[in-house]
Amino acid sequence: AAASLGLLELWNMEDGLNVIDKFLYATEDKVKAGAALALGILSTGVNDGTDAAAGVLGDFIDSTETNDVKLASAMGIGIAYAGSSAIPASEILLPVVCSQNDDGAGFMENITAAALALGQIFVGTCDEDCCGSIVDRLMRSSDLELSTPTAPLMCVGLALLFLGQQEKVEGMLEAVQTVEHKISKLAAVLLETFAYAGTGNVLQVQKLMHLCAE
């Protein structure tokens, strides 16, 4: 219900922030997480110079908030700055992707949410910092970490960076093949699919049909 306020107040920054504000300081973690997501939804595509989403949600990610709040905050930043290539957002999210296992249970959820958010924000740009950080995290993660339910979202985030870029994905395809986990194959399929999305490339279609037939 708290998250839905972001849709109800969509793009109405002045009044919407006042509506959401009290929920951002709720004592219930789920409500606070919902409010964080609402702030991201409210702010999507808005460029009013305040960077309210980056300011508030970035503080949540850097603080001792619960995993639910951090996860929703990363998702909120991804929604707020989708397609914008916003540097303030990357400065918040890149350290999360590169972080070590020191946050206890659920830390991989935060990492994958941050990776997906970077893909949303820098979609189709092949941004070197984002690409390097995500693929490095894939390489450094243990088999147990890469087998978690949310781990494939890292691959989606990486693939989004190459949306529509076709041949530019070749180098990254070679990089993900060095990941010693079955997730590497998923990453390769997603990378090629996103890179050639909407092109009608016959060779890529044949590749996918062959995979389906296996």
Side-chain angles (χ1 to χ4, degrees):
S4 70
L5 293 172
L7 285 173
L8 294 173
E9 299 293 335
L10 188 64
W11 305 320
N12 182 13
M13 292 298 293
E14 186 174 347
D15 297 330
L17 284 173
N18 292 330
V19 172
I20 294 169
D21 186 66
K22 60 183 178 181
F23 297 105
L24 288 169
Y25 302 97
T27 55
E28 299 88 350
D29 290 335
K30 299 291 186 184
V31 176
K32 195 170 188 177
L37 194 54
L39 178 56
I41 295 169
L42 167 74
S43 310
T44 185
V46 175
N47 185 12
D48 62 355
T50 65
D51 275 335
V56 175
L57 301 182
D59 286 344
F60 281 173
I61 290 174
D62 290 335
S63 69
T64 56
E65 294 290 347
T66 64
N67 185 59
D68 285 334
V69 176
K70 290 184 176 183
L71 180 63
S73 297
M75 293 171 63
I77 290 175
I79 294 170
Y81 296 97
S84 69
S85 299
I87 298 301
S90 69
E91 290 174 345
I92 296 168
L93 296 169
L94 283 172
V96 178
V97 175
C98 299
S99 62
Q100 300 298 318
N101 182 4
D102 57 4
D103 291 329
F107 86 104
M108 275 300 289
E109 291 184 352
N110 295 328
I111 290 171
T112 54
L116 180 60
L118 286 171
Q120 291 174 290
I121 296 165
F122 290 88
V123 59
T125 64
C126 306
D127 183 86
E128 290 185 7
D129 289 337
C130 295
C131 292
S133 296
I134 296 174
V135 78
D136 180 64
R137 165 52 70 179
L138 285 169
M139 291 175 180
R140 289 191 294 110
S141 297
S142 67
D143 284 353
L144 183 61
E145 291 166 351
L146 294 178
S147 298
T148 57
T150 59
L153 291 178
M154 275 197 288
C155 302
V156 177
L158 184 63
L160 278 168
L161 297 170
F162 291 91
L163 185 66
Q165 296 304 307
Q166 301 187 58
E167 292 86 0
K168 291 182 180 180
V169 78
E170 297 301 324
M172 188 54 63
L173 284 172
E174 293 180 9
V176 296
Q177 288 173 8
T178 64
V179 178
E180 296 179 357
H181 185 274
K182 62 183 179 181
I183 202 171
S184 63
K185 187 171 184 179
L186 172 64
V189 172
L190 288 171
L191 280 164
E192 283 196 292
T193 304
F194 278 57
Y196 289 91
T199 63
N201 185 290
V202 176
L203 291 177
Q204 294 301 323
V205 171
Q206 288 176 341
K207 274 187 183 181
L208 292 173
M209 289 177 69
H210 179 70
L211 280 172
C212 291
E214 285 183 347

